[in-house]
Amino acid sequence: MMKKTALVLCLAIATTALTGHVWADPKPTKAGNTIAPVVQANQQTQDITSFLSKLQKSVKEENKKEVAKLISYPLNLINNGKKTLIYTQEQFVQKYDRIITKSVKKQLLNQKSTDLFENENGYMIGRGAMWISEINNRLRVYSINAAYNPYEVAGIDDPEEFIAYLNKLKKEVRANNKKVVAHLISYPLRVNKDGKATLIKTKKQFIAKYDQIITKQVKKKLLEQDPDNVFVRDVGVSIGEGTMWVSQFGKKIAVYAINL
């Protein structure tokens, strides 16, 4: 049921991004004519599996010029609800890092061809990060949703993963589930109190000293924290006005410091 709800939500977001003129406005030529992509219904004249594999390979290898060849121009770039048009391969390569963000790249590389969602707009990648359709008898990416990541400066790759992590941390601390909370910590954990720092090196040590670390005040600050109102800087995300600091270590988001 939760997966179905999530899919409906993703489609609602994606549909909002594609509302109105799905296709980019044509750019005038010097002669006064227009260049507009001719969009046909998905007849699968080109193998979507092959196209997706080629796109994933080029993005994984950071081959910007090859990725640019797999785009339909003008490309619809959606960023924080605003649409920008990318007209040429050269412009795409120049702005590559702002278009193929960490979130877009992650959703693309995690996408399986067998799990692609398809409707009249084409094939959806991830949660709407990209849309692919058959244009001039070739499969091409025609829209990219480079969602804004407010936690990127702190090293967090995916804003949704951070929010999910924070919600889980709150849930487990509220339930006083010490063992689960211990898994949400990066070790050694730095605990600062009265100007002195103590390193908690293992989960076992954390659980043994749990009540001295997750005090009533720490718990209160954590549970009151709104994920949309956190302080973010290059060393991490501040929770509860600096009571906790969170960052990403490899693929794991975790608390690495607590100030008592």
Side-chain angles (χ1 to χ4, degrees):
M1 180 65 181
M2 288 181 68
K3 288 185 177 179
K4 183 176 181 182
T5 303
L7 178 58
V8 171
L9 179 59
C10 289
L11 291 178
I13 294 170
T15 303
T16 301
L18 295 172
T19 300
H21 296 290
V22 173
W23 310 109
D25 300 326
K27 181 180 180 182
T29 64
K30 291 182 179 179
N33 296 323
T34 60
I35 302 172
V38 179
V39 182
Q40 293 89 11
N42 286 314
Q43 298 175 359
Q44 298 183 3
T45 54
Q46 182 174 342
D47 186 0
I48 183 61
T49 302
S50 175
F51 177 83
L52 179 61
S53 177
K54 185 176 182 180
L55 178 62
Q56 288 173 325
K57 182 177 184 292
S58 298
V59 168
K60 187 175 182 179
E61 294 174 353
E62 294 286 328
N63 193 333
K64 300 177 182 182
K65 290 185 178 180
E66 284 302 311
V67 178
K69 293 176 183 178
L70 303 176
I71 304 296
S72 172
Y73 301 95
L75 168 71
N76 289 288
L77 175 63
I78 314 295
N79 198 330
N80 208 23
K82 294 179 67 176
K83 185 177 85 169
T84 303
L85 301 181
I86 305 298
Y87 287 105
T88 65
Q89 290 186 26
E90 291 76 15
Q91 189 182 4
F92 178 87
V93 170
Q94 184 181 15
K95 297 186 176 183
Y96 184 90
D97 293 332
R98 283 180 278 173
I99 299 171
I100 307 298
T101 61
K102 288 182 179 180
S103 178
V104 170
K105 183 177 180 178
K106 181 177 181 180
Q107 291 182 62
L108 171 64
L109 296 184
N110 286 341
Q111 180 67 62
K112 297 179 181 178
S113 59
T114 52
D115 295 334
L116 279 169
F117 173 81
E118 178 189 4
N119 65 12
E120 66 275 9
N121 293 319
Y123 299 96
M124 184 175 78
I125 300 298
R127 301 181 298 273
M130 287 182 172
W131 281 87
I132 298 168
S133 190
E134 191 172 295
I135 300 171
N136 294 332
N137 295 316
R138 299 181 303 175
L139 286 171
R140 289 292 181 266
V141 175
Y142 70 85
S143 182
I144 296 178
N145 189 353
Y148 173 59
N149 179 2
Y151 316 111
E152 187 168 7
V153 69
I156 307 291
D157 290 341
D158 190 330
E160 291 187 20
E161 280 192 15
F162 171 76
I163 292 172
Y165 168 82
L166 182 57
N167 288 337
K168 182 174 179 60
L169 180 63
K170 285 182 175 183
K171 177 186 174 184
E172 302 304 341
V173 168
R174 184 183 289 111
N176 205 38
N177 195 337
K178 299 179 183 181
K179 289 184 178 180
V180 177
V181 175
H183 284 281
L184 303 175
I185 304 295
S186 175
Y187 300 96
L189 169 70
R190 185 183 180 93
V191 179
N192 301 307
K193 184 178 181 180
D194 300 329
K196 294 183 179 181
T198 302
L199 295 182
I200 305 299
K201 298 180 180 180
T202 65
K203 293 174 186 176
K204 185 176 180 180
Q205 189 181 2
F206 176 83
I207 293 169
K209 297 189 175 184
Y210 184 91
D211 294 331
Q212 298 165 258
I213 300 170
I214 307 299
T215 62
K216 288 182 179 180
Q217 182 65 7
V218 170
K219 183 176 181 179
K220 182 176 183 290
K221 289 284 189 179
L222 169 64
L223 298 181
E224 288 177 348
Q225 181 64 66
D226 180 350
D228 294 326
N229 191 30
V230 293
F231 176 69
V232 183
R233 55 170 296 185
D234 56 344
V235 296
V237 180
S238 169
I239 304 297
E241 300 174 325
T243 300
M244 288 181 167
W245 283 89
V246 177
S247 191
Q248 185 166 326
F249 304 90
K251 294 183 178 180
K252 180 182 178 181
I253 298 173
V255 173
Y256 71 87
I258 296 178
N259 294 308
L260 303 178

